[in-house]
């Protein structure tokens, strides 16, 4: 499953804009922060009564019965269209389904009770249990639905089932069609409504989303990953609709004037979370090129006719072929369908044979979707196809080791796309960003290991919280480190043995280590894989290694933002090192105690660089002399330092400063070379890290006067006075006269913001001008790395107040508004929409809102969705927030993105936090952890910490509990850091911009 947040974060433009969205925001505020807080008290959450008993001591199914196959009949009663005809009563939409299932299971131990899972299903008729050999029926005494988190359906029998026997259980049932999981309904428009309120163009479809534990809401089943079985499925659906399942259709026949049925071939042996069906009026593309597998892509008829699925159809077969060759095992089914759904909680889901995607993760519209969106689509397709091996063919035994699925799928997606579409440069442009994101989350005490004790992950909330950046990104990066450490040949041989030996089985991580170990041993190697790798998967966090190049001493400790926390964790660390006079080589750090390495001594004054190309999942600190040599090298001849490391040196320096391991001025000094940098990665790293500085300092006790200062163009930089000089000066005079303390705060904050803005303007001007031949004509370079660099240059320049950038954005947006033709290149729309809306008022905002409502293109909608959040008008931001409660305006699964975009705007952060709390019971269904992370990113004040702690204690957090815990820890770290470093940072910016 691709994380939902990955869609926005994978888009390079979106990441860049979010990274920089706060810069310069201090001079856009309108009201006092404390006033905003005091006037927007969140409404109390409703009291929720307890309706279930506490969970039983054991939440897992007993291993007395093991299923081997199911026969499942399902009939969704949903209408795909409801046409209103005058003087005729239209049918009411029916959000229910009926069905029956027969599960065949082997008895391993004698038992008189059958336990399986069922949630929100009504069992109709009798439960029928039979001995499949004799056909004898075993009487059922009682059927009990456990009213707790186990979701057990307990069937008590008159006599015991004996070990060695095979039995069947038949159950008929009814259930409800949901909104976001299990069997759920989704809607879309086909054509244009004839008038306001016309619903004849509205279409419905039914689809499933089972991961992790929603199959029990569709039919009673043994709903655990290790309980694999073969599924024989028949779907009864309305005439003129298409039913899809995990396997290829076996037969479809008409029942009557209203109904038909479709039966599918038996699936491979698989886990219940991979079960999938859809019923829709969608059409498909011609089969993608593949010699053996029939690959079809399904989407809305209008999207198919317009060719929006063409890119996905063209690349899917290539990726599948590559993976078959790389992994040495053929894809196991004869067909592969992929379908673009208007609504899907994750970005995509790897159901075996029927991969489901959010529309934006599969559909690409030439001339409207950005080139960066194409890169995202390719990566997500590769992620889901990689799951056909890592997850579907070989599956983790329990959710505590879900990283074996998601970590491998994430890493393999980069390898696959780099091979089939090298021009997209997904590793160069994406992987290091993911490294930084993983580090950010893993630098907190509240992080978690990749592999947790099984007993700690039992309930749905505990399981769902594991679908985070640690599981996906750290998992991928640890696999990448292992790949680099053992070498390509051993890694591939080990993975092939892993997949071959455990085909159609369930595994633990030790099974992976044994397979890699076998490949190492066959190559006459001497690495103890389990010993090395268990330190990376069974402990929280990651190490920082500290190197003294004067004597070669090196030692490690856990890296944490909170420097007061003591940790005994240590790791086996493979370290690739080089210098300006030596080639890269690997050393292995096997102790927590300091050791001395000859390779780490600077004998001739040369610099030493560790973690070459960032293949290791750790950070590096050096003695000051070596830091200075490295930074000097980047300022004088930056190409001597590998590209990945230029970005990583910046990230390490800033994170070490946040952890108070180096002076903050060293981190800021690491950005000086950027004025000569023309590659994307170092710029992206710098802007991501400066984002933290801005978030910590773009709000103060007084910023009302600053908004006057900005709105009336009263600036002190360069001594230029604008048209609003008198009003701004009068405000300044009043403050000076009546509150000298207030003046001190005002002066230091304004200067700090202006110097930061001026410094960024200094650094980005050369870069922006080097790309103006493209940007001014709304064109893009051919090279994908240059495209990403252009997007970043535009965003930094506009945020830093570079006049020519702001003029460019306003000009192109104005042309679109005036003549109706959008000449803005899709790659540039995030930045152009944002800055044009920020510079404008209600007219610009409502123009963008109407375009958002009427767009059916994912890329365009998300660019507009972000642009709308950039307004500085509080009343418009409040209106936008209110729209998130109306599914007709903003789809429920888009609410988390909207809330987070608004929170990135310094004018909207407090609004978003209050609004989220006031409507938490609604929002927590649609990405609660993501919203918690987004709205609390700026928290650095004691009263914000207290509010967050009250939120944790007073609200039902469910699957968002871990996110809230992390937010509390990060806020405490922020408060301490701001108090210690704010004056030092101000002095540095003053010094740099005055020279």
């Amino acid at each position: 499953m691709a994380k939902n947040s990955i869609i926005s974060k994978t888009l390079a433009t979106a990441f860049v804009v979010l990274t920089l969205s706060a810069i310069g925001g201090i001079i856009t505020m309108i009201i006092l922060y404390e006033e905003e807080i005091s006037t927007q008290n969140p409404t109390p959450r409703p009291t929720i009564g307890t309706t279930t008993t506490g969970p039983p001591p054991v939440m897992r199914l007993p291993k007395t019965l093991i299923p081997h196959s199911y026969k499942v009949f399902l009939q969704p009663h949903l209408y795909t269209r409801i046409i209103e005809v005058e003087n005729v009563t239209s049918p009411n939409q029916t959000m229910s389904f009926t069905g029956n299932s027969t599960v065949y299971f082997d008895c391993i131990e004698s038992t008189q009770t059958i336990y399986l899972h069922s949630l929100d299903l009504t069992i109709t008729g009798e439960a029928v249990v039979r001995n499949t050999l004799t056909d004898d029926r075993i009487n059922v005494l009682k059927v009990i639905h456990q009213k707790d988190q186990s979701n057990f359906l307990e069937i008590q029998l008159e006599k015991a089932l004996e070990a060695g026997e095979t039995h069947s259980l038949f159950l008929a049932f009814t259930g409800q069609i949901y909104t976001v999981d299990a069997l759920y309904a989704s809607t879309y428009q086909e054509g244009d409504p004839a008038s306001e309120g016309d619903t004849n163009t509205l279409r419905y479809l039914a689809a499933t989303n089972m991961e992790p534990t929603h199959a029990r809401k569709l039919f009673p089943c043994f709903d655990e990953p290790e309980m694999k079985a073969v599924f024989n499925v028949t779907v009864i659906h309305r005439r003129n609709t298409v039913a899809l399942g995990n396997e290829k259709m076996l037969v479809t026949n008409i029942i009557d004037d209203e109904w038909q049925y479709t039966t599918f071939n038996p699936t491979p042996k698989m886990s219940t979370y991979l079960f999938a069906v859809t019923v829709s009026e969608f059409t498909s593309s011609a089969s993608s090129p593949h010699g053996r597998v029939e690959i079809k892509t399904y989407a809305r008829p209008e999207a198919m006719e317009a060719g929006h699925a063409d890119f996905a159809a063209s690349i899917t077969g290539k990726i599948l072929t590559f993976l078959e060759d790389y992994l040495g095992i053929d894809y196991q089914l004869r067909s592969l369908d992929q379908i673009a759904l208007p609504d899907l909680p994750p970005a995509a889901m790897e159901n075996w044979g029927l991969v489901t995607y959010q529309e934006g993760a599969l559909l690409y519209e030439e001339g409207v979707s950005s080139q960066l969106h194409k890169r995202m689509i390719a990566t997500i397709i590769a992620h889901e196809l990689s799951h056909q091996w890592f997850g579907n063919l070989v599956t983790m035994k329990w959710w505590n080791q879900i990283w074996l699925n998601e970590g491998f799928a994430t890493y393999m997606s980069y390898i696959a796309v780099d091979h089939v579409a090298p021009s997209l440069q997904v590793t160069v442009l994406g992987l290091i960003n993911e490294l930084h994101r993983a580090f950010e989350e893993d630098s907190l005490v509240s992080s978690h290991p990749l592999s947790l004790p099984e007993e700690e992950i039992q309930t749905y909330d505990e399981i769902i919280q594991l679908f985070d950046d640690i599981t996906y990104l750290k998992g991928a990066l640890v696999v990448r480190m292992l790949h680099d450490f053992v070498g390509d040949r051993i890694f591939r041989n080990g993975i092939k043995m892993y997949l071959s030996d455990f085909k159609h089985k369930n595994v633990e991580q030790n099974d992976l280590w044994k397979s890699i170990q076998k490949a190492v041993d066959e190559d006459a190697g001497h690495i103890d894989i389990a010993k090395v790798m268990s330190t990376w998967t069974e402990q929280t966090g990651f190490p920082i290694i500290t190197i003294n190049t004067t004597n070669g001493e090196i030692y490690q400790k856990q890296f944490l933002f909170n420097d007061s926390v003591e940790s005994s964790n240590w790791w086996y660390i493979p370290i690739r090192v080089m210098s300006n006079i030596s080639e890269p080589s690997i050393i292995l750090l096997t102790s927590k105690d300091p050791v001395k390495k000859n390779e780490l001594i600077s004998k001739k004054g040369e610099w030493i660089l560790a973690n070459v190309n960032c293949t290791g999942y750790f950070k590096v600190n050096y003695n000051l002399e070596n830091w200075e040599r490295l930074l000097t090298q980047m300022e004088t001849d930056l190409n001597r330092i590998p590209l990945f490391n230029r970005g990583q040196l910046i990230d390490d320096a800033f994170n070490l400063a946040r952890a108070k391991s180096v002076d903050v001025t060293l981190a800021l000094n690491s950005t000086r070379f950027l004025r000569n940098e023309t590659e994307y990665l170092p710029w992206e790293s710098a802007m991501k890290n400066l984002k933290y500085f801005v978030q910590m300092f773009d709000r103060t006790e007084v910023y009302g006067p600053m908004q006057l200062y900005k709105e009336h163009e009263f600036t002190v930089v360069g001594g230029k006075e604008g048209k609003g000089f008198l009003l701004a000066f009068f405000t300044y005079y009043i403050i000076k006269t009546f509150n000298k303390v207030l003046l001190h705060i005002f002066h230091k904050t304004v200067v700090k913001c202006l110097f930061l803005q001026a410094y960024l303007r200094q650094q980005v001007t050369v870069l922006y001008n080097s790309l103006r031949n493209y940007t001014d004509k709304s064109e893009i370079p051919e090279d994908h790395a240059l495209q990403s660099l252009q997007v970043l240059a535009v965003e930094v320049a506009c945020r830093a107040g570079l006049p020519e950038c702001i003029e460019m954005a306003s000009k192109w947006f104005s042309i679109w508004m005036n003549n109706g033709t959008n000449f803005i290149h899709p790659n540039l729309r995030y930045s152009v929409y944002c800055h044009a809306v920020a510079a404008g008022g209600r007219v610009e905002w409502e123009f963008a809102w109407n375009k958002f409502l009427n767009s059916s293109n994912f890329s365009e909608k998300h660019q507009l969705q972000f642009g709308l959040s950039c307004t500085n008008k509080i009343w418009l931001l409040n209106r936008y927030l209110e729209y998130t409660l109306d599914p007709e305006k903003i789809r429920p699964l888009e609410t988390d993105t909207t809330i987070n975009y608004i929170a990135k705007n310094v004018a909207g952060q407090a609004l978003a936090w209050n609004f989220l709390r006031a409507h938490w019971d609604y929002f927590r269904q649609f990405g609660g952890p993501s919203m918690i992370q987004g709205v609390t990113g700026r928290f650095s004040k004691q009263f914000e910490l207290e509010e967050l702690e009250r939120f944790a204690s007073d609200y039902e957090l469910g699957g968002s509990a871990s996110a809230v815990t992390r937010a509390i820890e990060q806020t405490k770290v922020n408060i301490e850091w701001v108090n210690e470093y704010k004056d030092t940072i101000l002095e540095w910016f003053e010094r740099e911009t005055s020279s």
Side-chain angles (χ1 to χ4, degrees):
M1 176 169 67
K3 286 184 63 193
N4 192 33
S5 60
I6 287 180
I7 277 203
S8 294
K9 291 179 179 177
T10 305
L11 283 164
T13 47
F15 177 79
V16 170
V17 172
L18 289 178
T19 296
L20 301 163
S21 60
I23 295 178
I26 187 67
I27 54 175
T28 64
M29 291 307 298
I30 299 175
I31 55 175
L32 294 176
Y33 183 73
E34 284 77 6
E35 288 180 359
E36 192 64 61
I37 290 295
S38 66
T39 58
Q40 296 207 27
N41 293 320
T43 59
R45 59 178 294 276
T47 301
I48 301 175
T50 301
T51 57
T52 61
T53 61
V58 178
M59 294 287 292
R60 300 283 297 282
L61 290 172
K63 298 294 177 65
T64 52
L65 305 174
I66 302 297
H68 60 76
S69 66
Y70 293 80
K71 285 184 179 177
V72 181
F73 291 82
L74 296 170
Q75 184 175 15
H77 295 280
L78 183 84
Y79 290 92
T80 56
R81 59 175 74 189
I82 299 177
I83 305 300
E84 297 181 3
V85 181
E86 193 173 349
N87 298 324
V88 175
T89 301
S90 301
N92 291 321
Q93 184 57 279
T94 307
M95 293 295 180
S96 66
F97 66 90
T98 55
N100 65 73
S101 65
T102 304
V103 57
Y104 300 85
F105 50 85
D106 298 322
C107 184
I108 307 303
E109 296 179 19
S110 177
T111 180
Q112 203 167 338
T113 305
I114 300 172
Y115 287 96
L116 68 166
H117 292 106
S118 178
L119 179 61
D120 297 336
L121 295 174
T122 300
I123 304 300
T124 60
E126 292 183 316
V128 179
V129 180
R130 292 185 183 275
N131 184 306
T132 57
L133 180 63
T134 64
D135 202 37
D136 291 341
R137 182 168 174 175
I138 294 93
N139 288 335
V140 174
L141 299 178
K142 189 179 294 185
V143 177
I144 301 171
H145 286 270
Q146 298 283 6
K147 301 298 182 182
D148 54 41
Q149 294 185 74
S150 72
N151 306 146
F152 284 168
L153 182 65
E154 179 183 345
I155 299 174
Q156 298 178 359
L157 305 175
E158 186 176 66
K159 69 173 187 176
L161 309 179
E162 299 300 331
E165 296 177 346
T166 300
H167 296 82
S168 66
L169 167 65
F170 171 87
L171 292 165
F173 48 84
T174 63
Q176 292 299 307
I177 296 175
Y178 290 80
T179 56
V180 292
D181 55 40
L183 181 66
Y184 70 96
S186 182
T187 62
Y188 63 97
Q189 294 286 340
E190 186 174 293
D192 298 322
S195 60
E196 187 174 352
D198 175 23
T199 61
N200 286 346
T201 59
L202 186 64
R203 300 289 180 265
Y204 294 83
L205 63 87
T208 54
N209 182 55
M210 299 306 191
E211 191 173 31
T213 59
H214 299 309
R216 64 192 67 178
K217 297 178 181 179
L218 184 60
F219 59 96
C221 56
F222 295 81
D223 197 12
E224 294 185 0
E226 199 173 2
M227 299 289 194
K228 288 189 172 185
V230 173
F231 293 84
N232 301 271
V233 181
T234 296
V235 177
I236 301 169
H237 52 104
R238 296 192 185 275
R239 296 270 302 268
N240 302 315
T241 62
V242 175
L244 301 176
N246 295 94
E247 261 286 4
K248 195 172 183 178
M249 178 187 69
L250 177 65
V251 63
T252 183
N253 287 318
I254 296 171
I255 298 174
D256 54 30
D257 290 344
E258 191 172 2
W259 298 98
Q260 67 185 86
Y261 73 87
T262 298
T263 299
F264 302 95
N265 284 304
T267 71
K269 190 178 179 182
M270 68 181 196
S271 303
T272 48
Y273 77 86
L274 297 171
F275 183 96
V277 296
T278 65
V279 176
S280 70
E281 296 184 13
F282 282 10
T283 56
S284 68
S285 65
S287 181
S288 299
H290 190 282
R292 184 178 48 82
V293 180
E294 183 181 18
I295 304 172
K296 289 187 176 181
T297 302
Y298 288 80
R300 294 176 286 108
E302 286 183 347
M304 294 304 303
E305 291 170 9
H308 298 170
D310 289 353
F311 173 68
S314 69
I315 201 170
T316 301
K318 298 175 185 177
I319 294 173
L320 192 68
T321 299
F322 168 78
L323 289 169
E324 289 180 320
D325 177 68
Y326 189 92
L327 301 172
I329 296 179
D330 285 345
Y331 172 72
Q332 298 291 291
L333 281 66
R334 291 174 292 173
S335 64
L336 171 61
D337 293 331
Q338 45 190 12
I339 184 168
L341 299 170
D343 298 292
L344 183 67
M349 178 60 207
E350 66 268 18
N351 316 297
W352 214 346
L354 176 56
V355 183
T356 51
Y357 297 83
Q358 291 181 13
E359 282 193 343
L362 197 66
L363 302 184
Y364 178 84
E365 184 176 350
E366 197 70 46
V368 178
S369 302
S370 70
Q371 294 296 306
L372 311 174
H373 184 200
K374 180 181 285 188
R375 185 165 70 228
M376 182 202 72
I377 290 172
T379 304
I380 291 179
I381 290 174
H383 181 103
E384 303 312 318
L385 296 189
S386 297
H387 270 309
Q388 307 303 302
W389 287 265
F390 298 100
N392 298 8
L393 184 65
V394 177
T395 314
M396 75 282 155
K397 285 187 177 180
W398 185 243
W399 299 105
N400 63 311
Q401 294 189 351
I402 184 62
W403 81 269
L404 291 170
N405 287 17
E406 300 300 347
F408 265 100
T410 301
Y411 180 55
M412 287 304 303
S413 68
Y414 283 95
I415 294 176
V417 178
D418 271 344
H419 178 83
V420 303
S423 66
L424 296 178
Q425 303 181 63
V426 294
T427 295
V428 172
L429 299 175
L431 190 64
I432 298 304
N433 171 33
E434 299 203 336
L435 176 66
H436 296 166
R437 284 171 50 201
F439 279 155
E440 183 84 10
E441 189 160 327
D442 216 14
S443 299
L444 299 173
V445 177
S446 51
S447 181
H448 64 82
L450 284 173
S451 177
L452 291 94
E454 192 171 327
E455 60 272 15
E456 292 184 13
I457 307 299
Q458 296 293 312
T459 67
Y460 172 80
D461 286 341
E462 290 165 348
I463 293 168
I464 203 67
Q465 290 180 89
L466 291 183
F467 289 83
D468 62 4
D469 283 348
I470 298 299
T471 294
Y472 284 76
L473 306 185
K474 180 179 179 178
L477 293 160
V478 166
V479 172
R480 177 174 179 254
M481 180 172 63
L482 172 63
H483 189 171
D484 179 72
F485 183 39
V486 301
D488 185 64
R489 182 166 50 83
I490 292 175
F491 178 78
R492 289 183 64 177
N493 288 341
I495 294 305
K496 288 177 180 178
M497 286 188 279
Y498 170 70
L499 294 172
S500 177
D501 292 347
F502 297 101
K503 184 178 179 181
H504 299 299
K505 297 177 183 177
N506 294 80
V507 294
E508 298 173 323
Q509 69 174 17
N510 283 338
D511 296 316
L512 172 63
W513 306 151
K514 289 174 184 176
S515 296
I516 303 294
Q517 188 67 58
K518 188 175 178 181
V520 168
D521 294 344
E522 288 179 358
D523 199 62
H526 301 286
I527 306 168
D528 187 334
I529 294 297
K531 185 177 181 180
V532 171
M533 296 308 298
S534 62
T535 65
W536 295 96
T537 61
E538 295 176 10
Q539 298 182 122
T540 299
F542 61 93
I544 173 177
I545 62 170
T546 299
I547 298 172
N548 187 335
T549 61
T550 60
N551 61 9
E553 184 179 85
I554 179 173
Y555 66 91
Q556 62 165 295
K557 67 174 183 177
Q558 183 176 353
F559 179 86
L560 292 165
F561 286 141
N562 186 347
D563 65 335
S564 65
V565 175
E566 294 293 329
S567 170
S568 60
N569 291 351
W570 66 276
W571 293 258
Y572 287 93
I573 311 175
I575 307 167
R576 194 175 292 275
V577 298
M578 66 174 287
S579 75
N580 51 328
I581 60 173
S582 66
E583 295 298 316
S585 61
I586 288 184
I587 62 175
L588 185 63
L589 186 59
T590 60
S591 170
K592 186 175 184 179
D593 299 324
V595 295
K596 292 184 179 180
K597 301 279 188 180
N598 187 60
E599 301 95 325
L600 302 178
I601 298 176
S602 175
K603 303 175 182 67
K604 299 179 181 180
E606 72 273 21
W607 49 257
I608 304 289
L609 178 69
N611 200 13
V612 177
N613 289 324
C614 308
T615 54
Y617 187 72
F618 55 88
K619 291 190 173 295
V620 187
N621 193 8
Y622 304 96
N623 55 307
L624 184 58
E625 294 85 356
N626 197 63
W627 270 115
E628 290 173 346
R629 292 181 189 125
L630 288 167
L631 298 186
T632 299
Q633 181 68 74
M634 290 199 294
E635 288 191 62
T636 55
D637 184 5
L638 53 82
N639 290 314
R640 295 293 300 277
I641 305 291
L643 173 60
F644 282 1
N645 290 99
R646 299 206 297 272
Q648 193 58 41
L649 283 167
I650 293 174
D651 192 69
D652 282 355
F654 273 87
N655 280 274
L656 289 166
R658 286 175 64 178
K660 295 185 283 189
S661 297
V662 300
D663 193 282
V664 70
T665 58
L666 186 147
L668 292 166
N669 289 342
S670 73
T671 66
R672 285 172 172 163
F673 80 98
L674 288 175
R675 67 191 70 187
N676 300 317
E677 180 63 78
T678 57
E679 294 287 350
Y680 170 73
L681 276 182
W683 271 101
E684 182 275 331
S685 182
M687 294 305 103
K688 179 189 73 68
N689 281 286
L690 283 173
K691 163 195 168 185
Y692 178 75
F693 280 58
V694 173
Q695 285 185 327
M696 295 303 98
F697 296 116
D698 66 357
R699 302 169 304 141
T700 63
E701 292 79 2
V702 178
Y703 54 72
M706 297 171 204
Q707 178 60 27
L708 292 174
Y709 178 94
K710 183 262 181 183
E711 286 188 339
H712 298 278
E713 298 179 35
F714 171 57
T715 66
V716 296
V717 176
K720 183 178 179 180
E721 298 175 356
K723 60 187 179 183
F725 171 79
L726 288 178
L727 181 57
F729 181 80
F730 179 73
T731 304
Y732 185 87
Y733 177 78
I734 292 295
I735 295 174
K736 181 177 179 180
T737 302
F738 291 100
N739 196 332
K740 292 183 179 180
V741 174
L742 211 55
L743 170 62
H744 177 70
I745 296 170
F746 168 72
H747 169 74
K748 294 194 74 173
T749 306
V750 169
V751 170
K752 186 182 299 180
C753 178
L754 290 175
F755 276 119
L756 173 58
Q757 192 177 48
Y759 178 72
L760 288 170
R761 195 157 53 235
Q762 277 182 3
Q763 300 299 85
V764 79
T765 297
V766 173
L767 178 64
Y768 180 82
N769 288 337
S770 71
L771 294 163
R772 283 191 68 180
N773 284 339
Y774 297 106
T775 305
D776 287 352
K777 294 182 286 187
S778 196
E779 296 175 353
I780 63 170
E782 184 177 342
D783 180 80
H784 278 262
L786 279 178
Q787 291 175 20
S788 294
L789 189 64
Q790 179 192 31
V791 169
L792 185 144
V794 169
E795 184 57 30
V796 177
C798 283
R799 289 289 174 187
L802 198 65
E804 47 266 50
C805 183
I806 297 171
E807 290 167 9
M808 176 275 300
S810 298
K811 180 191 78 171
W812 286 113
F813 196 83
S814 178
I815 291 172
W816 184 25
M817 289 181 66
N818 291 332
N819 70 15
T821 302
N822 190 349
F823 294 108
I824 307 164
H825 192 280
N827 279 21
L828 304 178
R829 290 180 183 178
Y830 270 98
S831 293
V832 170
Y833 292 174
C834 176
H835 294 291
V837 168
R842 178 174 133 181
V843 173
E844 287 78 9
W845 194 92
E846 291 186 343
F847 174 83
W849 173 250
N850 288 328
K851 292 296 183 182
F852 172 82
L853 287 180
N854 293 311
S855 176
S856 60
N857 177 271
F858 164 84
S859 186
E860 178 72 354
K861 284 185 77 74
H862 274 255
Q863 289 157 346
L864 289 162
Q865 186 181 16
F866 175 71
L868 289 162
S869 73
C870 295
T871 180
N872 301 314
K873 305 292 187 267
I874 298 297
W875 67 275
L876 286 173
L877 290 172
N878 271 320
R879 177 199 284 186
Y880 199 15
L881 285 167
E882 291 291 340
Y883 285 171
T884 62
L885 300 176
D886 184 350
E888 296 297 317
K889 291 183 170 67
I890 296 177
R891 300 180 86 95
L893 294 178
E894 293 175 347
T895 54
D896 64 332
T897 304
T898 305
I899 295 289
N900 286 340
Y901 282 165
I902 294 170
K904 294 294 180 184
N905 183 341
V906 68
Q909 187 271 330
L911 306 178
W913 170 230
N914 282 282
F915 197 79
L916 178 66
R917 286 180 290 171
H919 304 284
W920 175 247
D921 286 331
Y922 176 74
F923 287 128
R924 66 190 290 256
Q925 307 171 72
F926 311 115
S930 170
M931 285 184 271
I932 292 297
Q933 183 180 11
V935 300
T936 62
R938 277 189 176 83
F939 282 13
S940 58
K941 302 181 187 303
Q942 184 62 34
F943 80 89
E944 290 170 329
L945 174 61
E946 293 168 1
E947 286 186 340
L948 193 51
E949 289 174 333
R950 280 196 297 273
F951 178 74
S953 63
D954 295 349
Y955 288 66
E956 180 65 40
L957 301 179
S960 301
S962 292
V964 174
T965 300
R966 288 194 297 271
I968 290 172
E969 181 184 351
Q970 185 64 65
T971 301
K972 291 177 179 178
V973 170
N974 293 346
I975 292 170
E976 183 179 345
W977 190 84
V978 167
N979 290 338
E980 184 163 345
Y981 285 116
K982 58 184 177 182
D983 291 333
T984 304
I985 292 169
L986 173 59
E987 290 168 5
W988 188 91
F989 279 114
E990 287 177 330
R991 184 171 63 252
E992 288 296 309
T993 53
S994 63
S995 58

